[in-house]
């Protein structure tokens, strides 16, 4: 996978003997983590326990914020924005600060990987490559955009002088909210904080109470590197109260959200009261179409990478496998063999391929959905149960699972499991494959496996998804937009135009026909944002 020209192994999911991914077997001591509001740590009356999903053990505690903490953070953001302490800096200055923060994230990548994995269960290999590894390059992308973005441009066509002069000016919205889930809090947080700060906004982040640590660390680093008080706050608390207050707060102008489609709908509704800008990145049920000419060695590895990475807890996971009916037995046979070889166990051990899922509730939901598919006539080809892992009995585990005989009308083909569960469907013709792939409420990511790149590309154009991969998966590139069709979301994150979603657009039109031309031109020198 190409990430800013740096090659990341296609399969950090599989293969233990690569470079040392972090130090193994480190333990996290039970530390209390306060919130970060208006430039300082803020503690609260109540606390959450932070648990390691691999063992169920408490590894820390977190301040449990309230609506009052959100209000304090939003007020600090509003005040800092009005004072111009960040928005008033030049884009080059903001870019320099963001670059320094990115440098700190790069230097701390091993610590950040351990920190994130300790509470969301990501294996150390995967956390180092993705959860923490993407943080610095992605923030650097936004630092670069701050420096290159057209905050102001003249749209007059020569010859000048004309009878009017016109500019398009992009201004920060003001206070932006970022509501982030537990699966990739640091990276998904940066996808919102990065463009917001690059454009000059102040930001209030609501982290998920299960995985707050890396974004709290980011807020500390940002403060140390010169982001002024109030410009970046991080709060935690119950989603339906604290998150909902942030999403509906009258002083918040924009909400960026990643999470479930159910809550995404609620965010839209909550934002409608004051007509907020909203971007939503929601669920998926990614179809992976294997064509009859696919290189099966490559496809089998890639299909498992696409579905089993982070135990399937990724919005863009490839969880619906579409195979030609005639090739099904061979493909499934090979997949089952590879799944049996995957190593489950201590996420801190670099040899581990697959870790736990986030919670017992999520495990049970996945088991329930597998059971419902079997009731509807599907077959479990491998997995489908709770693995026996000595020492990890208190954790939330589920075996990597392949279910065959799935049809697209089954619940398992239509709802997001968010677990290591691959549903296998068959098709007879390419048209049928495209039809099944597109028959979904979701449209986040899709993929095609084929030796014929022209054929794969043509199918890719017909798939209704925000990202289509050919012969790979999880190729998220900060130079390309990411987001979904249909109920997978609204708007796009990262990519070249990422700052558009964090700015208001102004057309400044100055009539010159009746004015003293010289005076007008003097007024029209480029502003600080030019
Ligand atoms: P969720 O959508 O409930 O939570 C995401 C964030 O929204 C969290 O910070 C949560 O506290 C907050 N939140 C919850 N209710 C809210 C409300 N009424 N107003 C404002 N904020 C609110 O997702 P959860 O519970 O973590 O997972 C449920 C399902 O969502 C998963 O099984 C998966 O299918 C999907 N999901 C998708 C993700 C993605 O990357 N697109 C990430 C996480 C979950
Ligand atoms: Mg929830």
């Amino acid at each position: 996978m190409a990430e800013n020209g740096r090659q990341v192994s296609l399969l950090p999911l599989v293969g233990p003997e690569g470079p040392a991914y972090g130090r193994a077997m480190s333990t996290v001591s039970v530390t209390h983590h306060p919130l970060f509001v208006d430039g300082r740590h803020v503690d609260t009356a109540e606390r959450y326990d932070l648990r390691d999903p691999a063992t169920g053990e408490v590894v820390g505690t977190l301040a449990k914020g309230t609506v009052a903490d959100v209000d304090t953070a939003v007020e600090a953001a509003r005040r800092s924005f009005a004072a111009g302490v960040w928005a008033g800096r030049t884009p080059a200055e903001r870019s320099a600060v963001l670059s320094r923060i990115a440098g700190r994230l790069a230097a701390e990548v091993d610590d950040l990987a351990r920190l994130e994995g300790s509470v969301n269960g990501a294996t150390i290999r995967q956390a180092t490559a993705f959860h923490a590894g993407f943080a610095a390059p992605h923030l650097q992308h936004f630092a670069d955009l701050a420096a290159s973005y057209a905050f102001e441009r003249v749209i007059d066509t020569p010859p000048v002088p004309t009878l009017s002069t016109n500019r398009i000016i992009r201004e920060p919205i003001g206070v932006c909210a970022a509501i982030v889930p537990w699966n990739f809090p640091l990276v998904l947080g940066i996808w919102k904080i990065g463009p917001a700060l690059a454009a000059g906004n102040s930001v209030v982040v609501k982290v998920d109470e299960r995985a707050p640590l890396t974004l709290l660390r980011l807020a500390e680093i940002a403060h140390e590197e010169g982001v002024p008080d109030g410009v970046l706050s991080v709060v935690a608390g119950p989603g339906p109260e604290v998150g909902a207050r942030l999403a509906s707060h009258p002083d918040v102008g924009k909400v960026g959200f990643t999470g479930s489609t159910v809550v995404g709908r609620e965010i839209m509704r909550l934002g409608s009261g004051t007509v907020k800008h909203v971007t939503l990145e929601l669920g998926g049920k990614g179809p992976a179409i294997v064509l009859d000419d696919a290189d099966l060695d490559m496809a089998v590895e890639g299909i498992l990478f696409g579905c089993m990475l982070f135990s399937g807890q990724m919005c863009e996971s490839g969880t619906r496998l579409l195979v030609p009916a005639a090739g099904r037995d061979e493909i499934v046979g090979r997949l089952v063999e590879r799944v049996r070889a995957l190593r489950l166990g201590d996420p801190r051990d670099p040899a581990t391929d697959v870790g736990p899922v986030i919670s017992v509730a999520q495990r049970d939901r996945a088991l329930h959905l597998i059971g419902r598919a079997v009731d509807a006539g599907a077959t479990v080809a491998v997995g489908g149960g709770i693995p026996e892992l000595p020492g990890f009995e208190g954790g939330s585990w589920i075996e990597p699972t392949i279910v065959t005989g799935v049809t697209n009308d089954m619940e398992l083909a239509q709802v997001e499991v968010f677990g290591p569960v691959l549903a296998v469907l068959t098709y007879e013709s390419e048209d049928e494959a495209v039809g099944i792939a597109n028959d979904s409420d979701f449209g986040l990511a899709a993929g095609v496996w084929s030796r014929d790149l022209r054929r794969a590309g043509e199918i890719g154009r017909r798939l209704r998804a925000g990202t289509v991969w050919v012969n790979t998966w999880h190729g998220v590139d900060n130079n390309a937009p990411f987001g979904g069709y249909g109920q997978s979301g609204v708007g796009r994150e990262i990519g070249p135009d990422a700052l558009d979603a964090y700015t208001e657009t102004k057309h400044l039109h100055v009539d010159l026909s009746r004015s003293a031309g010289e005076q007008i031109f003097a007024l029209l020198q480029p502003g600080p944002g030019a």
Side-chain angles (χ1 to χ4, degrees), residues 150-196:
F151 284 97
E152 188 165 331
R153 63 199 163 94
V154 179
I155 56 167
D156 302 332
T157 47
V160 178
T162 56
L163 293 182
S164 71
T165 185
N166 295 271
R167 284 158 190 251
I168 297 173
I169 303 174
R170 310 281 319 212
E171 296 174 346
I173 292 168
V175 180
C176 296
I179 301 180
V180 180
W182 50 267
N183 61 344
F184 283 79
L186 182 59
V187 172
L188 296 175
I190 284 171
W191 285 11
K192 299 161 183 60
I193 297 164

Side-chain angles (χ1 to χ4, degrees), residues 45 123 126 210 309 527:
T123 63
Q126 169 200 318
R210 288 165 289 191
L309 185 71

Side-chain angles (χ1 to χ4, degrees), residues 257-480:
F257 171 81
T258 302
S260 63
T261 295
V262 172
V263 175
R265 288 188 198 105
E266 182 67 4
I267 299 287
M268 260 192 153
R269 199 186 64 76
L270 291 166
S272 70
T274 49
V275 195
K276 299 186 198 316
H277 297 241
V278 174
T279 44
L280 304 173
E281 200 264 278
L282 310 174
K285 194 73 203 181
I289 302 176
V290 180
L291 298 184
D292 54 15
D293 67 349
D295 174 342
L296 287 191
D297 291 334
M298 186 208 277
V300 162
E301 293 297 303
I303 289 160
L304 290 181
F305 175 65
C307 183
M308 302 301 175
L309 185 71
F310 198 26
S311 303
Q313 301 171 114
M314 298 169 77
C315 46
E316 83 271 11
S317 295
T319 53
R320 268 191 307 156
L321 179 64
L322 276 60
V323 299
R328 185 189 81 158
D329 291 350
E330 187 191 357
I331 295 168
V332 170
R334 289 208 200 189
L335 286 168
V336 167
E337 196 182 316
R338 275 308 278 114
V339 164
R340 291 217 167 97
L342 291 175
R343 265 167 296 198
L344 277 65
D346 190 344
R348 283 159 287 265
D349 183 344
T352 297
D353 297 321
V354 178
V357 293
I358 187 68
S359 64
V360 169
Q362 280 291 108
R363 177 200 70 189
D364 290 347
R365 183 168 175 275
L367 292 172
H368 172 76
L369 287 166
I370 294 166
R372 299 261 298 176
V374 171
D375 291 346
T379 306
V380 174
V382 67
I386 297 171
E388 279 182 33
L389 295 167
F392 297 93
E393 291 84 356
S396 39
W397 294 84
I398 178 166
E399 291 172 330
T401 300
I402 297 178
V403 182
T404 58
V406 177
T407 53
N408 209 45
D409 55 352
M410 288 185 194
E411 201 176 10
L412 190 65
Q414 292 294 334
V415 308
E416 184 173 56
V417 177
F418 238 53
V421 182
L422 182 66
V424 184
L425 297 81
T426 58
Y427 67 84
E428 298 289 345
S429 68
E430 271 182 33
D431 283 349
E432 192 194 358
V434 170
I436 295 170
N438 288 339
D439 179 15
S440 174
D441 290 341
F442 296 121
L444 192 60
V448 184
W449 295 90
S450 174
R451 284 195 173 90
D452 182 340
L453 299 185
R454 178 181 297 271
R455 190 179 165 206
E458 276 164 12
I459 291 177
R461 287 173 194 279
R462 296 170 64 193
L463 295 174
R464 305 271 306 161
T467 300
V468 177
W469 288 296
V470 173
N471 293 336
T472 189
W473 210 276
H474 294 307
V476 173
D477 181 336
N478 59 37
N479 291 304

